[in-house]
């Protein structure tokens, strides 16, 4: 009886000490003694982002703006999704980023607006790819998106729409480096650095299209100087030549059929 009482007292003491230690460490314990996964979404920094890149964990990052109703709604849905993701997707790392406080991630993730969601997936080829998840998704839609791996039906960032600038190629890394290292940018520009980095992807797209249009315009000028027809006229002439050749081929084929049918008709007449 005394031994049983001592065992009960010692067990209670162990449980109380464990509760104190876990509470100090910020770890929650369920009734069955298991550790409850941390469901809170913490701020993702440049350092933590670079650390996650060395792992196989996928990342879902919510970019937000403080004191913004749309961002508050998106973050609320994100927090609700995080509770489900803690056990449903143990390899998915969640994080939120105040885009004003992290020019590095704002630039590298090629943000064009706030709020936005970026899903980062490491493929079987060990290459990272970034996808733009719809910010209008609620928690249930996020679960549906992840369960069905719907990003596989989408083109990752870094295609023609972004002038082939990806968060994981030289372009995206260079933009992030400039945003992170350029301390003189805020004084040199009449706008904040974070806003400049937000405009960079749009500027790149516009500049790329301008360069391409300029190349076509220069080609037209060179054609005019050399006396060659314009590109559109040359294309029309080439199309006309193709159509005329097709008509000639069709006429030749019809003529050949008539010529082959004539001997048959003469033979039938002779037979009669």
């Amino acid at each position: 009886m005394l031994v049983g009482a001592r065992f009960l007292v010692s067990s209670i003491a162990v449980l109380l000490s464990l509760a104190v230690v876990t509470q100090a460490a910020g770890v929650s314990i369920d009734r069955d003694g298991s550790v409850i996964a941390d469901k809170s979404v913490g701020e993702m920094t440049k350092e933590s982002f670079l650390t996650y890149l060395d792992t196989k964990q996928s990342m879902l990052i919510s970019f937000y703006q403080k004191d913004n109703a749309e961002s508050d709604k998106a973050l609320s849905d994100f927090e609700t999704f995080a509770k489900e993701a803690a056990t449903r997707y143990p390899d998915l790392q969640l994080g939120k980023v105040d885009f004003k406080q992290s020019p590095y991630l704002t630039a590298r993730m090629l943000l064009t607006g706030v709020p936005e969601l970026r899903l980062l997936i490491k493929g079987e080829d060990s290459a990272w790819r970034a996808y733009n998840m719809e910010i209008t998704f609620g928690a249930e839609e996020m679960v549906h998106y992840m369960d069905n791996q719907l990003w596989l039906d989408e083109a990752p960032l870094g295609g023609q729409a972004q002038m082939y600038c990806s968060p994981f190629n030289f372009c995206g890394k260079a933009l992030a480096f400039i945003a992170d290292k350029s301390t003189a940018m805020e004084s040199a520009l009449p706008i904040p650095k974070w806003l400049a980095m937000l405009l960079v992807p749009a500027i790149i797209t516009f500049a790329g299209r301008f360069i391409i249009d300029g190349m076509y315009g220069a080609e037209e000028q060179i054609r005019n100087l050399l006396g060659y027809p314009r590109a559109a006229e040359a294309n029309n002439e080439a199309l006309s030549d193709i159509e005329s050749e097709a008509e000639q081929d069709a006429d030749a084929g019809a003529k050949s059929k008539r010529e082959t049918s004539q001997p048959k008709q003469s033979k039938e007449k002779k037979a009669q």
Side-chain angles (χ1 to χ4, degrees), residues 7 54 71 129 141 162 184 195 210 245 247:
F7 178 76
D54 294 331
S71 290
R129 294 174 179 85
E141 292 170 303
Q162 295 81 34
L195 181 57
F210 179 79
E245 289 179 2
E247 292 176 357

Side-chain angles (χ1 to χ4, degrees), residues 196-248:
M197 288 300 98
L198 197 63
L199 294 174
V200 163
I203 293 173
I204 290 176
T205 302
F206 175 78
R209 291 176 179 173
F210 179 79
I211 292 171
I212 293 173
D213 292 341
M215 290 172 61
Y216 283 120
E219 181 184 0
E220 292 293 339
Q221 293 294 331
I222 294 172
R223 283 178 174 273
N224 291 334
L225 290 174
L226 297 177
Y228 292 119
R230 293 178 176 269
E233 295 175 355
N235 291 336
N236 292 334
E237 291 178 0
L239 183 61
S240 299
D241 293 340
I242 293 173
E243 292 177 349
S244 62
E245 289 179 2
E247 292 176 357
Q248 292 176 1

Side-chain angles (χ1 to χ4, degrees), residues 8 12 17 27 37 40 79 88 109 120 174 181 187 201 214 222 235 269:
L8 180 61
I12 294 173
S17 62
V27 179
S40 62
E79 294 278 358
R88 200 181 190 102
M109 291 297 110
L120 311 181
K181 301 299 182 182
S187 59
I222 294 172
N235 291 336
K269 289 180 179 180

